[in-house]
Amino acid sequence: EEDSLSPFIRLQEKKKQARLMQKALEVKEEAFKERMKVITCRWRDLHAKEAQLKTYMEKSGSILKENDKMRIQALKKASKERERKMQKESELLRAKRELEALRNKHQKLCNKVQKYSIFNKYLEDVVKISQFEEIQEVIWRYKTLVRMHKDLLQSQRGHKEMSEQAKVLLDQYMVEKEAEILQYQNELVHLQLRFDQAQSGILPWETHWADIQNTTAKKTLKLGTIKMAILNLFQ
């Protein structure tokens, strides 16, 4: 389902991009038309000015210095006009290239829309046999499930990390308790040796031995309690 819906989502995005591209293309075409109008008007003005300049030059032939001065000014002005014309032609060429690039991009988007149209048909069939009323509801449901899946994976990773940390703490605790058990066993062996030595002694040593037995019993009980606690923690 994820593999089939993802292309459709891309299809919807491509459709949206195609609409935006179509609007941009229309704006560019309108701007191109306006530029053509401006350039045409300027061409007319330039021809009119050239005609006026020619007429003026013919009429003012009697005054050489003034004629030279006006001719130089006219040449400068014509040069500026030529520069402006070249600039406008460059802008027009650039606008044509941009328009052609937009048309190519628009055509590519249209081809992609046509390519992914099968997924639109698939979702329409899904809507017909499901409780959904619109394709957008299917997409929203899909996105919700994807988001819930990601949250679930993140939660599982968190629980796994907590479990690993608890296992490490349990291992540390068991090592510490095993060390305590070993210490108690050593003490028990030491007490057993002292008991063997005390058997040959007098009654006070027997009394002392009885105390030692009581202490040993308490420690043995404590040892058993610790073992049970470790077993419960391990389980």
Side-chain angles (χ1 to χ4, degrees), residues 18-34 99 102-103 106:
R19 291 194 295 270
L20 295 176
M21 189 60 64
Q22 182 65 31
K23 292 181 180 179
L25 185 61
E26 293 173 357
V27 172
K28 289 286 185 180
E29 289 179 350
E30 187 65 26
F32 178 77
K33 291 179 181 179
E34 293 296 330
L99 183 61
L102 289 174
R103 285 176 178 172
H106 179 263

Side-chain angles (χ1 to χ4, degrees), residues 4 8 36 66 118 128 165 170 172 174 188 196 215:
S4 62
F8 178 73
M36 289 297 297
E66 187 67 23
I118 184 175
K128 291 179 182 179
Q165 292 177 359
L170 179 60
Q172 293 177 353
M174 291 183 64
L188 185 61
D196 293 338
T215 303

Side-chain angles (χ1 to χ4, degrees), residues 8-234:
F8 178 73
I9 294 174
R10 293 196 295 271
L11 172 61
Q12 295 296 326
E13 294 177 352
K14 294 299 181 181
K15 283 185 176 180
K16 184 177 180 182
Q17 294 179 2
R19 291 194 295 270
L20 295 176
M21 189 60 64
Q22 182 65 31
K23 292 181 180 179
L25 185 61
E26 293 173 357
V27 172
K28 289 286 185 180
E29 289 179 350
E30 187 65 26
F32 178 77
K33 291 179 181 179
E34 293 296 330
R35 289 181 180 178
M36 289 297 297
K37 290 179 181 179
V38 173
I39 292 173
T40 302
C41 292
R42 291 190 176 182
W43 267 106
R44 291 175 181 175
D45 294 338
L46 180 60
H47 286 298
K49 289 178 181 179
E50 287 180 352
Q52 293 176 1
L53 178 61
K54 184 177 180 180
T55 301
Y56 179 78
M57 292 293 292
E58 291 175 354
K59 291 181 179 180
S60 59
S62 59
I63 307 174
L64 183 59
K65 292 182 179 180
E66 187 67 23
N67 186 29
D68 290 338
K69 181 179 179 181
M70 295 300 295
R71 182 173 59 83
I72 292 172
Q73 292 179 354
L75 289 174
K76 290 181 178 180
K77 190 172 183 179
S79 178
K80 291 181 179 179
E81 290 295 332
R82 283 194 297 271
E83 290 178 358
R84 291 177 183 176
K85 184 179 70 173
M86 293 176 63
Q87 183 179 0
K88 292 301 179 182
E89 289 177 351
S90 177
E91 292 178 357
L92 180 61
L93 180 60
R94 184 170 62 252
K96 287 181 179 179
R97 291 176 180 174
E98 292 178 357
L99 183 61
E100 185 65 24
L102 289 174
R103 285 176 178 172
N104 293 334
K105 192 171 184 180
H106 179 263
Q107 184 62 37
K108 290 180 181 180
L109 290 175
C110 291
N111 294 336
K112 289 184 179 180
V113 169
Q114 183 66 26
K115 179 181 178 181
Y116 295 137
S117 60
I118 184 175
F119 299 104
N120 187 42
K121 181 63 171 60
Y122 169 75
L123 288 177
E124 288 177 353
D125 296 338
V126 171
V127 170
K128 291 179 182 179
I129 61 175
S130 65
Q131 73 276 15
F132 300 103
E133 296 180 357
E134 296 181 357
I135 294 178
Q136 190 62 40
E137 294 180 1
V138 178
I139 296 174
W140 289 340
R141 179 61 177 171
Y142 168 74
K143 290 183 178 179
T144 302
L145 292 175
V146 171
R147 185 169 57 253
M148 292 175 62
H149 180 65
K150 291 181 179 178
D151 294 339
L152 180 60
L153 291 178
Q154 185 176 1
S155 178
Q156 288 178 349
R157 286 194 293 268
H159 287 305
K160 184 178 180 180
E161 291 177 358
M162 292 177 62
S163 177
E164 291 176 353
Q165 292 177 359
K167 186 176 181 301
V168 171
L169 293 175
L170 179 60
D171 292 339
Q172 293 177 353
Y173 183 78
M174 291 183 64
V175 170
E176 293 176 357
K177 293 306 176 182
E178 287 177 355
E180 291 183 5
I181 292 172
L182 181 61
Q183 182 180 358
Y184 291 146
Q185 289 177 348
N186 293 333
E187 291 181 359
L188 185 61
V189 171
H190 180 67
L191 292 174
Q192 184 67 38
L193 293 174
R194 291 181 61 185
F195 174 74
D196 293 338
Q197 293 175 359
Q199 281 185 342
S200 60
I202 57 177
L203 182 61
W205 285 106
E206 292 179 352
T207 303
H208 183 64
W209 169 245
D211 295 336
I212 291 174
Q213 284 183 330
N214 293 331
T215 303
T216 302
K218 292 179 181 180
K219 290 187 177 182
T220 302
L221 179 60
K222 183 177 181 181
L223 178 61
T225 304
I226 292 173
K227 288 183 177 180
M228 290 298 295
I230 292 174
L231 180 60
N232 291 332
L233 288 174
F234 179 75

